[in-house]
Amino acid sequence: GLGQTLNNVGLVYTKLKDYTTARRYFNEALAVAERTHDKNIKLYSSNNIGFSYLEQGNLSTAEKTFKESLEIAKTVNNTNWEATAHSGLGQVYYKRGLFDRSRKQFKTSLGLRTEIGDRRGISEVYYYLSNMYAASGYLDSAFINLRISQAIARQIKSKPRLMENYELFKELFARNKQYDSALFYMQSFVELRDQMFSENLARNLADIELKIREEDNIQRLAAKDTQIQRQVMQRNFV
């Protein structure tokens, strides 16, 4: 469990864009995996390190790390994280403008995700394919792939995926000079973002209230313990 936990802490720092600290936790998880001969956690950690470099724009190191992930994937039966490594490599090639290589990696990732029925991952790959086609000037293909991603995202009710899709729809319609549609998706994006913020805020407030209650209960128990100890001492004295 330690390797998994270290990775999860690293992912939090990735969200906070503190990539140096994130990689410190990912590398600790990698060391745990090496020590315990856990190839699954090793693959997971390697992928996370790759994505941290990708987020920073360090494409050469990200490419190298994802290739290392794929070498690890050959030694373990973990289709999910193997697909994730192919997707990461596809994003590297997409950002470099190497669209043929990018498409090949995304298609491989899509095949693996389809094999295990990972609809969230499938939706994500179609989103990246849409980005890639848009960047290479094929807007029709970009719309087709994005609509597939959107249909799956609605089925599984993935709000983060829907939000990213809304933003991409807005950009595609703006490029197509369909400004009414672009405005509609921009409004959809803002509404969903505000809804997610409100939900997170409510969840955080509920957690705070719960902790306050826990603290209050602890104090009451402590007071009760003190009272019992005093009564015991008095009885012993008598």
Side-chain angles (χ1 to χ4, degrees), residues 62-213:
E63 180 184 4
K64 177 176 174 288
T65 307
F66 285 127
K67 285 181 176 178
E68 289 171 356
S69 293
L70 291 174
E71 286 301 313
I72 299 168
K74 292 177 182 177
T75 67
V76 63
N77 182 23
N78 194 316
T79 307
N80 181 27
W81 288 335
E82 182 183 355
T84 301
H86 281 292
S87 180
L89 203 52
Q91 290 175 59
V92 170
Y93 292 141
Y94 152 68
K95 288 178 181 291
R96 282 186 164 171
L98 302 171
F99 298 125
D100 286 340
R101 289 189 187 182
S102 177
R103 187 185 303 107
K104 182 180 177 182
Q105 293 297 327
F106 285 137
K107 292 290 187 182
T108 302
S109 179
L110 184 61
L112 291 168
R113 292 190 185 283
T114 303
E115 184 183 316
I116 59 174
D118 177 13
R119 292 195 293 168
R120 188 181 300 272
I122 292 168
S123 180
E124 180 186 81
V125 172
Y126 276 114
Y127 165 79
Y128 286 128
L129 282 168
S130 178
N131 266 296
M132 188 204 66
Y133 281 119
S136 51
Y138 297 104
L139 288 187
D140 287 345
S141 296
F143 273 115
I144 290 168
N145 282 276
L146 187 54
R147 286 189 176 112
I148 296 171
S149 174
Q150 186 75 343
I152 299 169
R154 281 180 176 151
Q155 288 172 5
I156 62 175
K157 299 178 181 178
S158 173
K159 290 180 181 177
R161 170 57 40 231
L162 286 169
M163 198 161 76
E164 283 191 300
N165 285 358
Y166 286 150
E167 192 170 26
L168 184 53
F169 267 123
K170 178 204 71 174
E171 294 172 7
L172 293 180
F173 278 117
R175 283 179 61 178
N176 235 14
K177 303 189 187 307
Q178 295 174 268
Y179 299 114
D180 287 345
S181 296
L183 179 61
F184 169 79
Y185 279 104
M186 184 180 75
Q187 289 171 338
S188 299
F189 170 83
V190 171
E191 287 170 9
L192 184 55
R193 183 194 62 189
D194 291 347
Q195 180 189 345
M196 289 177 67
F197 175 79
S198 298
E199 287 174 357
N200 287 334
L201 182 61
R203 193 178 299 113
N204 289 338
L205 288 172
D207 287 344
I208 291 169
E209 186 179 351
L210 181 62
K211 287 190 181 299
I212 289 171
R213 287 179 184 174

Side-chain angles (χ1 to χ4, degrees), residues 228-238:
I228 291 170
Q229 288 172 8
R230 190 181 297 117
Q231 289 173 349
V232 169
M233 286 176 64
Q234 289 173 348
R235 187 167 61 249
N236 289 342
F237 179 76
V238 172

